[in-house]
Amino acid sequence: MSLDQNAINNIAISLSRHFESVYYVDVKSWSFTEVVNSSMLLNLNLPKEGEDFLALARNNAHLFVHPDDLQDVLNYHDKNFLLKNLQKEAYCFTICRVIINEKIIHIRHVCMMCDDKKHIICCMENIEKEYQEKLTQERNLKSAELLARRDELTGIKNKNAFEEFSESINECLKTEKEKYKFAIVMCDLNNLKVINDTRGHSFGDEMLQRASLMIRDVFNHCSVYRIGGDEFAVVLAGADYEKRHQLIKQLRDESAENGKLRSGPEVACGLSEFDPQNDTSFTEVFKRADRDMYENKNKIKSRKLVEEFRKMDELNEPIPAEKKRRLDCLFDALYTVSGKGYVFLNNMKYDYSRWSLPLIDDFGMESEYMYHADQVWKNYIHPDDLQVYEDAVDAVLCGNAELRLITYRARKTDGSYAVLSTRGFVLADAEGKPEYFGGIIVEN
């Protein structure tokens, strides 16, 4: 099997900062290409391409894998085992010890299914630093005093420590607030409940540990706290405070990359700075950071939903007759109760809409049935009001079918602008996934 250079470069750039070695493997033939060189395994002179990746892994495992972990590694590099696990989830891993230059190193073997379902990416990650940090945490946690202020799972400071710190800052702010310069970052591990429900709590714990490590790596001069099941808080001061916008961008970029590659935790985060002119307590800063974090969380949800719609657009699949018939039935029911308002209803999977005839006539639109109607309707909205419309659509798509009223101007057939008020909503299917996006538009 061979790869073009662009494919190799793209994979290498995305994964080299996470893994010691990366192989691109054809699932059907198990032929492979090395994408990222392993500095740890150079002395083994392993081939960069070959016909059977599993045979390569199993035949060479005894050369560097710790004897006590060898059987687990052999079991992991079994075709049936890998395919069974990758069919359930596009990501699986095992942890073992290797012996390199007479030194024991802990590594994580990771396999990820590619979107084409025809290839997998097999990687090796050096987690010795993470392992040693865990050992250090375990030693420290033996102290009763530390136990009261440390999170048992991640080893970082816990909610008790955060509350003690916030109280001490609040006391200081009563008399010396002008001298303080700090910011708070709130972080939330996305989809922890889904992970726990589908992969088990042990895997959820692993994601919490990795999220904690990722946050600490970014804000490595700051105090990091786990203050809830999936929530973390960071207090920034000194050099990290001065670089706060750069650092939070770094965390968001890393998180987005993890979400895209499904190679690690995806974290939403928000930032707020202490304003000595207006803030009187630590809690005020904390609440703003929390709100900013939830806004970031909604943006992540919106981005993922938009990406799913784009994938559907790329299929260019026409709406089936039965789906069109159901759309018409729902539209007729909505039109009956709408009163004098204009009505629209969109099947989100096929991005296919029906709009009421009075709206078509008054605004000069081409048809009551349209694909990608949201893009068509944007052409009628006053340029100064377009952002209001787009923000409202994003909010509805991220919400729980909550009605949201917005007002904007739209151009009618005669060229004049009508002031419209719209309530948009989302109807979910039996599995709770958004299926229809609709609304009632009233001219003011």
Side-chain angles (χ1 to χ4, degrees):
M1 181 184 68
S2 61
L3 289 171
D4 64 62
Q5 193 58 45
N6 284 335
I8 293 174
N9 290 340
N10 288 336
I11 295 173
I13 291 171
S14 297
L15 298 178
S16 60
R17 65 190 179 97
H18 288 290
F19 302 103
E20 293 288 333
S21 65
V22 178
Y23 288 89
Y24 187 67
V25 182
D26 185 297
V27 174
K28 184 176 181 181
S29 67
W30 294 98
S31 57
F32 64 92
T33 297
E34 183 184 62
V35 179
V36 175
N37 294 324
S38 170
S39 58
M40 293 174 57
L41 305 180
L42 286 178
N43 293 336
L44 298 180
N45 295 318
L46 299 176
K48 296 186 179 299
E49 292 186 346
E51 299 302 320
D52 192 338
F53 174 78
L54 295 180
L56 173 75
R58 293 171 63 86
N59 293 340
N60 289 279
H62 69 281
L63 298 177
F64 63 99
V65 176
H66 193 286
D68 292 345
D69 297 341
L70 181 58
Q71 190 57 52
D72 289 341
V73 172
L74 294 177
N75 292 341
Y76 177 79
H77 288 96
D78 175 79
K79 178 172 68 174
N80 293 331
F81 173 86
L82 282 178
L83 292 179
K84 179 180 178 181
N85 281 275
L86 290 174
Q87 285 171 357
K88 295 179 182 177
E89 181 69 32
Y91 172 88
C92 66
F93 68 90
T94 188
I95 294 174
C96 72
R97 292 163 291 176
V98 298
I99 303 174
I100 305 294
N101 297 326
E102 302 183 354
K103 182 179 179 181
I104 294 177
I105 299 174
H106 288 77
I107 67 168
R108 183 185 287 114
H109 287 283
V110 181
C111 284
M112 296 175 281
M113 180 68 74
C114 296
D115 287 343
D116 64 5
K117 306 299 182 184
K118 297 179 181 179
H119 300 87
I120 60 175
I121 299 174
C122 296
C123 318
M124 188 177 73
E125 182 181 10
N126 184 340
I127 60 169
E128 184 61 22
K129 179 182 177 182
E130 178 181 331
Y131 180 80
Q132 292 300 329
E133 288 181 349
K134 184 178 179 181
L135 287 181
T136 301
Q137 293 164 9
E138 291 174 352
R139 287 193 291 267
N140 290 337
L141 288 174
K142 292 178 181 179
S143 164
E145 184 177 351
L146 287 175
L147 276 172
R149 296 172 177 81
R150 293 281 177 180
D151 177 61
E152 184 176 357
L153 178 64
T154 62
I156 63 175
K157 296 178 182 180
N158 63 13
K159 186 176 181 180
N160 291 337
F162 184 73
E163 290 180 347
E164 287 180 5
F165 178 78
S166 65
E167 288 173 6
S168 68
I169 293 297
N170 279 334
E171 286 300 315
C172 294
L173 293 179
K174 291 178 181 179
T175 57
E176 302 178 292
K177 69 176 186 176
E178 295 297 333
K179 64 179 283 189
Y180 280 89
K181 184 184 289 188
F182 68 89
I184 299 174
V185 173
M186 278 294 296
C187 303
D188 180 277
L189 174 61
N190 285 347
N191 302 317
L192 179 60
K193 185 179 185 303
V194 175
I195 292 171
N196 285 334
D197 291 345
T198 59
R199 302 296 305 278
H201 285 270
S202 60
F203 191 84
D205 289 347
E206 167 80 11
M207 285 296 103
L208 282 167
Q209 290 169 336
R210 297 185 71 183
S212 168
L213 184 62
M214 181 172 72
I215 295 167
R216 282 182 291 163
D217 282 347
V218 173
F219 303 103
N220 58 4
H221 299 108
C222 305
S223 296
V224 181
Y225 304 82
R226 183 184 176 203
I227 60 172
D230 55 3
E231 290 186 331
F232 300 84
V234 190
V235 180
L236 279 63
D240 278 2
Y241 174 84
E242 300 301 330
K243 298 188 296 182
R244 59 193 181 279
H245 297 295
Q246 174 185 338
L247 292 175
I248 201 166
K249 182 181 184 302
Q250 179 184 338
L251 180 60
R252 286 174 175 173
D253 289 347
E254 255 189 71
S255 176
E257 192 73 5
N258 285 342
K260 179 180 178 182
L261 298 172
R262 288 172 290 187
S263 61
E266 189 173 16
V267 173
C269 56
L271 169 72
S272 180
E273 301 95 348
F274 172 66
D275 178 4
Q277 301 301 317
N278 298 299
D279 294 329
T280 59
S281 71
F282 183 91
T283 305
E284 292 175 61
V285 188
F286 171 81
K287 288 181 177 179
R288 286 202 304 273
D290 196 50
R291 288 195 296 269
D292 191 47
M293 181 268 289
Y294 275 104
E295 288 180 11
N296 180 238
K297 198 175 187 71
N298 285 336
K299 286 179 182 178
I300 292 172
K301 289 181 181 179
S302 177
R303 184 185 71 238
K304 286 187 173 181
L305 191 56
V306 169
E307 287 173 354
E308 289 299 317
F309 292 160
R310 285 174 179 169
K311 289 178 182 177
M312 294 170 185
D313 288 347
E314 290 170 1
L315 296 175
N316 200 26
E317 182 179 356
I319 188 169
E322 176 58 26
K323 292 291 185 181
K324 182 177 181 298
R325 186 193 69 79
R326 176 167 169 76
L327 177 73
D328 285 336
C329 290
L330 290 172
F331 179 89
D332 290 340
L334 180 62
Y335 189 78
T336 300
V337 300
S338 66
K340 298 181 180 180
Y342 303 121
V343 175
F344 68 92
L345 188 64
N346 171 269
N347 182 296
M348 297 167 74
K349 178 177 181 180
Y350 300 95
D351 201 2
Y352 182 80
S353 301
R354 181 177 173 184
W355 293 57
S356 57
L357 286 174
L359 189 151
I360 301 302
D361 293 339
D362 290 351
F363 290 87
M365 301 175 76
E366 292 184 3
S367 171
E368 63 178 312
Y369 293 101
M370 288 177 283
Y371 285 98
H372 316 306
D374 62 320
Q375 299 301 320
V376 176
W377 184 235
K378 285 181 183 180
N379 294 325
Y380 292 81
I381 296 176
H382 194 286
D384 293 343
D385 297 340
L386 189 58
Q387 190 62 51
V388 173
Y389 171 80
E390 291 178 340
D391 289 345
V393 170
D394 288 344
V396 171
L397 294 179
C398 291
N400 297 312
E402 179 183 355
L403 294 177
R404 182 184 176 96
L405 178 66
I406 61 168
T407 300
Y408 58 90
R409 291 163 291 177
R411 187 182 66 255
K412 303 186 77 170
T413 304
D414 61 6
S416 65
Y417 279 93
V419 178
L420 305 177
S421 294
T422 300
R423 286 192 180 274
F425 60 87
V426 171
L427 299 178
D429 62 15
E431 297 179 355
K433 297 180 180 179
E435 185 176 15
Y436 293 97
F437 178 35
I440 299 174
I441 304 173
V442 177
E443 183 174 356
N444 297 331

